[in-house]
């Protein structure tokens, strides 16, 4: 179990198919999306199912206040031929990160912290943390002290431990930073005892920063992270099927997770099949949640709507703008064409905000076109080319 779950973080045959019909709440052509082009996108997803690339996939487009396209294709359980449904529950892994970012920023709205506050102010174990200098092999002082903004933009110098050639990463593996044992508070204190990999604010590197931010929520609120999420986000937003594990009474809706082995798609057996089926000790703000398409859509709609949904305000509109715009220090970029907002990527051209999860889930929020695109599969290791292909076809469907 330990090795399998640790592997989660070290990432981030012909089958009969069952397809539920798309549900359209309005004409896609009427709101600026070509129905013919969307049909091509739908057919491409079916092709992936028919060719055994994916066991199942759920796709959704929300535009101008309406669900324009919603389709469930393939199976949540191949062996028993159980189809994906609207209420299928998925492992969303790193799509937990934006939720953690939003949760933390509700405390920002309350004046509990400022983005450029030093992390050590609230988590004293980070006081005086050193930075490993890969050139000199020495430990340096921090030039700019680690801040909360650094955590939320992955410019903290806190990695995942994935780099097999890096000294700091080797220390992370030695202390078990990528494992799922212990509480998040215990894990963060272990991380604080390891040198930072980079000077804060000088490099974007994916890592456990958002898990540290999750613990910061606990420190600032005095509540366990799962309780904070439930009371401050999930209950107000009516995200009834989102949590750190799937209760027994809902497990008949919980999708299997799949892999390609010997050229065929099949269920991953063992630890991964049992994960998320019982309460956990580690409340991972970086990758620990399960959710449904409907729940995550409500979360995205709240952000698209400036922090409010159905009369319930979660965030101030100005705070949502912080989250969904470029927050990288010193002109850094995440990758070509992309910067980073708070706990999610920011497309420098389209101004879309989004992120993805280790089981091949992905989302995009497009404020300029009032659109949300969701793609949920359960394929590991993650392969985002299917989601990206769907999104590209959606973009091509835009009527100029």
């Amino acid at each position: 179990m330990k090795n399998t779950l640790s592997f989660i973080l070290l990432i981030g045959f012909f089958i009969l198919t069952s397809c539920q019909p798309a549900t359209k709440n309005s004409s896609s052509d009427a709101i600026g999306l070509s129905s013919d082009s969307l049909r091509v996108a739908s057919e491409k997803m079916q092709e992936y199912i028919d060719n055994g690339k994916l066991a199942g996939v759920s796709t959704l487009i929300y535009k101008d206040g309406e669900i324009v396209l919603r389709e469930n294709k393939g199976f949540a359980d191949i062996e028993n031929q159980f189809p994906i449904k609207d209420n299928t529950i998925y492992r969303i892994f790193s799509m937990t990160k934006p939720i953690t970012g939003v949760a933390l920023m509700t405390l920002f709205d309350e004046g509990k912290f400022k983005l450029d506050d030093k992390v050590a102010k609230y988590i004293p174990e980070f006081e005086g943390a050193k930075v490993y200098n890969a050139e000199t092999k020495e430990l340096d002082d921090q030039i700019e002290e680690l801040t909360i903004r650094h955590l939320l933009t992955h410019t903290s110098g806190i990695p995942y431990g994935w780099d097999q050639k890096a000294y700091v990463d080797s220390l992370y593996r030695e202390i078990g930073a990528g494992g799922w044992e212990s509480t998040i508070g215990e894990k963060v204190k272990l991380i604080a005892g390891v040198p930072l990999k980079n000077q804060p604010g000088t490099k974007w590197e994916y890592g456990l920063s958002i898990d540290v931010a999750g613990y910061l929520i606990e420190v600032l609120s005095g509540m366990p992270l799962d309780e904070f999420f439930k009371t401050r986000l999930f209950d107000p937003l009516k995200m009834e099927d989102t949590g750190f594990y799937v209760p027994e009474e809902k497990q008949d809706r919980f999708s299997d997770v799949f892999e390609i082995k010997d050229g065929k798609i099949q269920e991953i057996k063992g630890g991964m099949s049992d994960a998320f089926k019982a309460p956990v000790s580690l409340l991972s703000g970086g990758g620990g949640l399960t959710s449904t398409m409907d729940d995550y859509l409500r979360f995205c709609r709240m952000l698209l709507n400036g922090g409010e949904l159905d009369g319930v305000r979660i965030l101030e509109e100005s705070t949502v703008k912080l989250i969904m715009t470029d927050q990288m220090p010193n002109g850094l970029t995440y990758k070509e064409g992309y910067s980073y907002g708070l706990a999610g990527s920011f497309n420098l051209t389209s101004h879309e905000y989004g992120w993805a999860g280790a089981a091949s889930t992905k989302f995009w929020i497009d404020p300029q076109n009032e659109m949300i695109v969701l793609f949920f599969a359960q394929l590991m290791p993650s392969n985002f080319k299917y989601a990206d292909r769907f999104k590209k076809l959606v973009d091509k469907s835009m009527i100029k």
Side-chain angles (χ1 to χ4, degrees), residues 93 96-101 184 210-211 214 225 229 244 283-288:
F93 290 120
T96 303
K97 288 179 170 69
I99 291 176
T100 301
I184 191 59
I210 310 299
D211 286 274
L225 190 60
F229 277 0
F244 285 101
L283 303 175
S284 171

Side-chain angles (χ1 to χ4, degrees), residues 98-108 217 225 228-229 233 315:
I99 291 176
T100 301
V102 164
L104 181 58
M105 293 304 284
T106 65
L107 296 171
F108 172 86
I217 291 172
L225 190 60
F228 190 88
F229 277 0
L233 295 182
L315 291 170

Side-chain angles (χ1 to χ4, degrees), residues 38-108:
L38 293 183
R39 190 175 302 112
V40 172
S42 175
E43 290 169 353
K44 176 56 70 172
M45 297 306 105
Q46 186 64 52
E47 180 182 315
Y48 293 142
I49 303 294
D50 294 341
N51 293 339
K53 304 297 184 183
L54 294 172
V57 61
S58 186
T59 54
L60 187 148
I61 303 170
Y62 177 93
K63 190 175 190 307
D64 295 341
E66 302 286 352
I67 294 177
V68 179
L69 178 143
R70 180 173 193 161
E71 292 189 328
N72 303 313
K73 297 177 180 292
F75 296 104
D77 178 343
I78 291 177
E79 184 176 345
N80 295 301
Q81 300 283 281
F82 190 78
I84 287 179
K85 298 181 179 180
D86 283 352
N87 65 355
T88 295
I89 299 173
Y90 300 86
R91 301 153 187 82
I92 63 169
F93 290 120
S94 286
M95 280 172 56
T96 303
K97 288 179 170 69
I99 291 176
T100 301
V102 164
L104 181 58
M105 293 304 284
T106 65
L107 296 171
F108 172 86

Side-chain angles (χ1 to χ4, degrees), residues 8 11-12 91-99 154 160 162 204 206 285-289 296 334-335 340 343-345 353-365 373-379 382-385 387-388:
I8 297 172
I11 315 291
R91 301 153 187 82
I92 63 169
F93 290 120
S94 286
M95 280 172 56
T96 303
K97 288 179 170 69
I99 291 176
H154 289 293
Y160 258 128
W162 293 349
W204 188 94
Y206 204 39
L289 290 176
Y296 212 86
Y334 149 55
K335 65 179 184 179
Y340 221 74
S345 64
Y353 174 86
W355 202 236
S360 305
T361 59
K362 201 163 185 179
F363 82 98
W364 297 261
I365 301 175
V373 178
L374 301 178
F375 180 101
F376 281 22
Q378 292 287 267
L379 178 67
S382 55
N383 189 333
F384 300 120
K385 69 180 181 181
D388 291 342

Side-chain angles (χ1 to χ4, degrees), residues 77-215:
D77 178 343
I78 291 177
E79 184 176 345
N80 295 301
Q81 300 283 281
F82 190 78
I84 287 179
K85 298 181 179 180
D86 283 352
N87 65 355
T88 295
I89 299 173
Y90 300 86
R91 301 153 187 82
I92 63 169
F93 290 120
S94 286
M95 280 172 56
T96 303
K97 288 179 170 69
I99 291 176
T100 301
V102 164
L104 181 58
M105 293 304 284
T106 65
L107 296 171
F108 172 86
D109 279 347
E110 293 179 0
K112 295 291 181 67
F113 70 92
K114 296 179 180 178
L115 278 174
D116 294 317
D117 281 351
K118 296 176 177 59
V119 173
K121 178 179 179 180
Y122 307 103
I123 308 176
E125 287 80 6
F126 280 101
E127 186 69 48
K130 298 294 184 179
V131 181
Y132 180 70
N133 188 320
E135 294 183 1
T136 66
K137 307 298 189 286
E138 300 288 339
L139 296 180
D140 297 338
D141 292 333
Q142 297 177 61
I143 296 173
E144 179 182 346
E145 284 196 56
L146 174 63
T147 68
I148 295 171
R149 190 190 302 270
H150 292 143
L151 291 179
L152 293 176
T153 56
H154 289 293
T155 58
S156 63
I158 298 173
Y160 258 128
W162 293 349
D163 189 341
Q164 298 297 311
K165 297 180 180 179
Y167 173 67
V168 171
D169 292 67
S170 72
L171 297 179
Y172 271 58
R173 294 192 294 274
E174 186 176 321
I175 65 172
W180 287 63
E181 293 73 31
S182 74
T183 66
I184 191 59
E186 292 167 339
K187 190 173 294 295
V188 167
K189 290 168 186 177
L190 284 175
I191 291 170
V194 177
L196 299 173
K197 186 174 180 179
N198 310 299
Q199 285 287 349
T202 64
K203 183 179 180 181
W204 188 94
E205 182 163 351
Y206 204 39
L208 290 162
S209 293
I210 310 299
D211 286 274
V212 177
Y215 177 58

Side-chain angles (χ1 to χ4, degrees), residues 92 99 229-230 233-243 250 289-292 294-300 302 309:
I92 63 169
I99 291 176
F229 277 0
K230 185 176 189 302
L233 295 182
F234 301 159
D235 284 353
L237 289 174
K238 299 181 180 178
M239 296 171 65
E240 298 174 353
D241 291 319
T242 303
K250 296 182 179 182
L289 290 176
T290 61
S291 190
T292 62
D294 284 322
D295 278 7
Y296 212 86
L297 176 62
R298 291 189 65 80
F299 172 74
C300 292
M302 177 274 295
L309 184 65

Side-chain angles (χ1 to χ4, degrees), residues 378-397:
Q378 292 287 267
L379 178 67
M380 295 186 75
S382 55
N383 189 333
F384 300 120
K385 69 180 181 181
Y386 306 116
D388 291 342
R389 177 60 173 161
F390 179 75
K391 179 58 165 54
K392 187 172 292 186
L393 290 169
V394 171
D395 289 344
K396 285 185 177 179
S397 77

